Amino acid sequence: TDLSKIRNFSIIAHIDHGKSTLADRLIQRTGGLTEREMSAQVLDNMDIERERGITIKAQTVRLEWKGHVLNLMDTPGHVDFAYEVSRSLAACEGALLVVDAAQGVEAQTLANVYQSIEHDHEIVPVINKIDLPAAEPERVKEEIEEVIGLDASNAVLASAKSGIGIDEVLDAIIERIPAPGGDADAPLKAMLVDSWYDPYLGVVILVRVMAGTLKKGQQIKFMQAGTTHLVDRVGCFRPKIEQLTELGVGEIGFITAQIKEVAQTAVGDTITDAKKPADAPLPGFQEVQPVVFCGLFPVDANDFDKLRESIHKLRLNDASFSFEMETSAALGFGFRCGFLGLLHLEIIQERLSREYDLDLITTAPSVVYEIELTHGNGQLELHNPADMPDPNTIEEISEPWIQAVIYVPDEYLGSILKLCQDRRGIQKNLTYVGGRAQVTYELPLNEVVFDFYDRLKSISRGYASFDYEQIGYRAGDLVKMSILVNGEPVDALSMIVHRSVAESRGRHMCERLKDLIPRHLFKIPIQAAIGGKVIARETIAALRKDVTAKCYGGDITRKRKLLEKQKEGKKRMREYGSVQIPQEAFIAALRMG
Ligand code: GTP
């Protein structure tokens, strides 16, 4: 293909601003299909592919328009997957910025736009949903200029729903987004943009060719991983799979090479010719590092093997979470797992319980702390609060910080600032755009991992949006707070906190647990402690004797029934010494309220 006839672009949009609808329209328009044919043909074909188990991941599709090849690159929308997003963007020369004509610019859009600008993209603003009565395209244009600093005078006005402005969008892609560059005669350099597991094809790899040509039958080498493979399929999605013989420089498409696990295909790796390799890999490669860790334990110890199997299966298709076996005195056998962020954690947890039907106990999520030991004894990374070394051997503890951008309507600003302040935030910036405020805060990640996002949403009735990036480690006065139930420490509830908030967190945890743990025949003290020092205490009163005395009388069948019931109940409980703690307590106790 003639390089000057190729355009590679992505679509940046806030959730619900119409990215999928617009993508569908572009496919429909360029395929020359009517709406009826579109639903009949394309979807039917998709069904067949689904039956065959061929997954068409996302919307990375090749379109043809006025003699040009347009590659639409889908990008994941969430902050947890920022590195994947950066690689997708590095595979393109431009982006459509879709903004809802009634809603205007949102925080998440902003972060993605800035990333796109960093990649030197040409950005084409598309103001969507102009069919809505509440549409204010002129105001949104101003907002794009004011907030993002992007010329919006030639923004395309569109309605993906009614099909207005679709040709204009396609024309703008050709006219305004530059063609890719690259040397067709140089040794092959292709970027591994994404990969996923397909039960029929094995691992499918999405690539962007930066130099040379990628051919079927070629022996290739992954420069970071150091492995070699034989390419057995080359192709693109239209959106149906179409096999090709090669991908030229500047092109986007997929390959398969009989690879069994996505873990072997690191996003950002450089694919080169094994026999005639490139001198140096493409810049910007990063190994993805999990940032949030928690323990996953089966509620029923008999489910451990099932949990292990399920985790291995999930890992086949998601190389970005890590796991290793963990044993806890209280919870038995389980796994310590690492995730890219909280959303990622939730996705995996949800899949384990839904798809694999597992009842799990999740221990408090924790970030990774860096600990400097005294007497030059070196450094260590702490992934699990339970492994915290003796404080006397610690010179300094550092924790990861983030920079957060929050976008919120004026009337909720006060409560949002208070929330950030309570979480040890440092305000960096505050500006107003229209009736909304944009606040920038630096916050310790450990103050954000648990329920910050939920709080933010509930305080602002869903109107605040939030985005963050990591900005490195900073030393802090951090201590391990243990929770003791009936005098015994409960590992799964121990957490690392800043000394300044330890007492209020401790008190809160004890109060919560008091409500969450059922009464027993004896008094149960619940304590929060730092080192040997108790900083908060509550007591669960004992059940009165006569209430339970009844259970022990009566006939034998009634007794057996009661025992059965107790067994069922016990499954969902965990025993600590002689105290039973219900599963819900582990997570509920950690919500800061
Ligand atoms: P996610 O897939 O959740 O990220 O959302 P998205 O950005 O892909 O938005 P999507 O295309 O799913 O559209 C969100 C909603 O807006 C849907 O209900 C669409 O029907 C609607 N919508 C999309 N484009 C238009 C438009 O031009 N006009 C109107 N009125 N509604 C639209």
Side-chain angles (χ1 to χ4, degrees):
T1 321
D2 176 1
L3 263 184
S4 69
K5 301 283 190 209
I6 301 174
R7 298 292 182 275
N8 299 315
F9 70 103
S10 64
I11 303 181
I12 303 169
H14 188 70
I15 295 165
D16 271 358
H17 285 201
K19 177 165 137 176
S20 318
T21 314
L22 180 65
D24 285 353
R25 277 289 173 187
L26 298 179
I27 295 168
Q28 181 191 0
R29 183 71 185 94
T30 54
L33 299 172
T34 65
E35 204 154 332
R36 243 187 64 222
E37 284 170 329
M38 172 92 178
S39 52
Q41 281 201 322
V42 180
L43 292 185
D44 275 1
N45 283 322
M46 297 272 232
D47 273 350
I48 293 166
E49 281 168 348
R50 237 177 252 136
E51 271 166 36
R52 287 205 214 111
I54 298 169
T55 40
I56 296 166
K57 197 188 176 188
Q59 293 271 16
T60 299
V61 287
R62 182 174 288 206
L63 314 169
E64 260 161 55
W65 183 248
K66 299 188 177 168
H68 289 69
V69 169
L70 315 184
N71 291 303
L72 162 54
M73 169 74 75
D74 190 55
T75 52
H78 195 273
V79 284
D80 283 3
F81 308 104
Y83 176 64
E84 275 89 338
V85 175
S86 88
R87 294 306 84 195
S88 308
L89 295 180
C92 299
E93 284 73 37
L96 301 179
L97 167 62
V98 177
V99 183
D100 186 317
Q103 301 291 324
V105 178
E106 311 267 359
Q108 200 194 325
T109 333
L110 276 184
N112 289 344
V113 171
Y114 289 134
Q115 248 195 322
S116 187
I117 291 172
E118 264 170 47
H119 283 95
D120 286 332
H121 281 181
E122 187 60 40
I123 297 170
V124 178
V126 175
I127 298 175
N128 188 36
K129 306 199 189 183
I130 57 160
D131 60 298
L132 289 176
E136 292 182 88
E138 287 311 313
R139 183 184 66 80
V140 172
K141 271 190 195 178
E142 275 171 33
E143 202 177 271
I144 292 173
E145 301 202 338
E146 210 176 307
V147 181
I148 310 178
L150 215 62
D151 178 8
S153 59
N154 54 1
V156 182
L157 302 188
S159 165
K161 194 170 167 184
S162 342
I164 302 167
I166 303 305
D167 286 11
E168 287 76 2
V169 170
L170 289 161
D171 290 343
I173 293 167
I174 292 178
E175 283 157 23
R176 296 198 230 158
I177 294 177
D183 184 352
D185 300 321
L188 170 68
K189 262 192 201 185
M191 185 169 65
L192 198 161
V193 179
D194 194 7
S195 66
W196 59 94
Y197 182 76
D198 180 287
Y200 289 83
L201 303 176
V203 173
V204 179
I205 300 170
L206 190 70
V207 295
R208 156 72 198 266
V209 180
M210 298 295 189
T213 310
L214 184 50
K215 297 188 183 87
K216 187 173 168 173
Q218 190 173 13
Q219 194 76 36
I220 52 167
K221 181 174 181 178
F222 290 179
M223 296 182 84
Q224 303 290 347
T227 52
T228 55
H229 307 273
L230 185 72
V231 178
D232 58 2
R233 282 189 203 85
V234 171
C236 65
F237 304 104
R238 282 183 185 277
K240 290 177 284 172
I241 279 187
E242 181 174 310
Q243 300 220 20
L244 304 167
T245 51
E246 60 175 51
L247 291 169
V249 66
E251 290 195 296
I252 290 173
F254 77 88
I255 58 168
T256 62
Q258 300 194 358
I259 297 172
K260 301 275 183 308
E261 287 180 35
V262 292
Q264 296 173 268
T265 58
V267 168
D269 203 340
T270 303
I271 299 170
T272 193
D273 188 303
K275 296 196 189 95
K276 209 178 113 200
D279 305 335
L282 297 161
F285 175 75
Q286 273 174 32
E287 226 166 304
V288 285
Q289 294 287 359
V291 293
V292 179
F293 287 78
C294 74
L296 295 178
F297 293 86
V299 169
D300 181 346
N302 294 321
D303 279 344
F304 175 74
D305 285 334
K306 192 168 159 198
L307 175 62
R308 177 172 46 206
E309 237 168 74
S310 311
I311 283 185
H312 274 100
K313 272 197 202 136
L314 279 186
R315 165 86 187 172
L316 273 182
N317 213 359
D318 183 352
S320 54
F321 83 95
S322 66
F323 63 95
E324 56 184 52
M325 226 185 100
E326 182 184 12
T327 46
S328 147
L331 300 174
F333 291 107
F335 291 94
R336 185 106 201 136
C337 300
F339 307 92
L340 296 178
L342 270 196
L343 178 86
H344 190 209
L345 184 160
E346 273 170 40
I347 292 171
I348 299 284
Q349 201 180 292
E350 174 98 4
R351 291 189 62 184
L352 285 170
S353 57
R354 284 237 180 123
E355 292 170 32
Y356 297 96
D357 194 28
L358 281 161
D359 253 342
L360 297 173
I361 291 174
T362 312
T363 65
S366 163
V367 299
V368 179
Y369 296 92
E370 283 177 3
I371 296 184
E372 172 94 37
L373 297 170
T374 49
H375 308 301
N377 278 333
Q379 278 197 342
L380 57 93
E381 279 189 355
L382 183 70
H383 293 219
N384 187 349
D387 299 333
M388 174 100 150
D390 180 345
N392 293 323
T393 66
I394 296 175
E395 182 72 43
E396 190 174 78
I397 306 183
S398 304
E399 58 181 331
W401 279 65
I402 59 165
Q403 175 159 304
V405 178
I406 300 163
Y407 218 27
V408 64
D410 212 7
E411 64 254 51
Y412 307 112
L413 181 63
S415 339
I416 297 290
L417 294 182
K418 183 173 180 313
L419 174 68
C420 291
Q421 224 60 47
D422 286 348
R423 302 293 172 93
R424 297 194 279 134
I426 302 168
Q427 190 179 313
K428 293 311 246 187
N429 197 13
L430 173 59
T431 52
Y432 287 90
V433 182
R436 284 183 295 179
Q438 182 195 322
V439 220
T440 308
Y441 258 91
E442 289 178 354
L443 288 153
L445 183 60
N446 99 342
E447 299 284 340
V448 174
V449 289
F450 207 75
D451 65 344
F452 184 82
Y453 193 64
D454 291 347
R455 298 284 303 148
L456 191 80
K457 285 286 174 191
S458 74
I459 287 174
S460 68
R461 291 173 200 271
Y463 281 112
S465 44
F466 163 76
D467 210 340
Y468 74 84
E469 60 176 357
Q470 293 207 55
I471 52 172
Y473 276 77
R474 291 181 192 172
D477 190 5
L478 299 158
V479 290
K480 174 174 158 183
M481 182 170 77
S482 312
I483 299 293
L484 291 85
V485 175
N486 205 23
E488 297 213 26
V490 180
D491 263 4
L493 292 174
S494 65
M495 60 199 296
I496 308 257
V497 292
H498 196 263
R499 200 183 295 275
S500 65
V501 296
E503 205 181 307
S504 67
R505 293 282 150 79
R507 204 174 320 120
H508 187 77
M509 284 270 274
C510 291
E511 282 165 13
R512 283 273 168 132
L513 285 169
K514 185 184 171 188
D515 295 335
L516 290 162
I517 299 175
R519 286 186 179 195
H520 286 55
L521 292 169
F522 44 88
K523 251 199 326 201
I524 305 172
I526 300 172
Q527 297 158 304
I530 294 171
K533 189 168 166 252
V534 173
I535 54 168
R537 182 192 165 106
E538 290 284 336
T539 306
I540 302 174
L543 276 174
R544 264 182 287 134
K545 270 265 168 53
D546 53 345
V547 179
T548 45
K550 281 183 196 149
C551 302
Y552 294 98
D555 67 285
I556 189 80
T557 46
R558 188 177 127 75
K559 220 174 197 173
R560 197 172 291 140
K561 258 190 204 150
L562 280 172
L563 279 174
E564 276 313 306
K565 260 207 183 132
Q566 272 179 23
K567 246 206 247 162
E568 271 305 298
K570 255 190 200 154
K571 261 197 182 169
R572 305 192 62 89
M573 301 270 213
R574 282 283 153 184
E575 274 187 56
Y576 290 86
S578 44
V579 179
Q580 290 174 358
I581 305 183
Q583 184 199 349
E584 307 83 69
F586 291 92
I587 288 296
L590 295 156
R591 299 213 181 268
M592 292 164 201

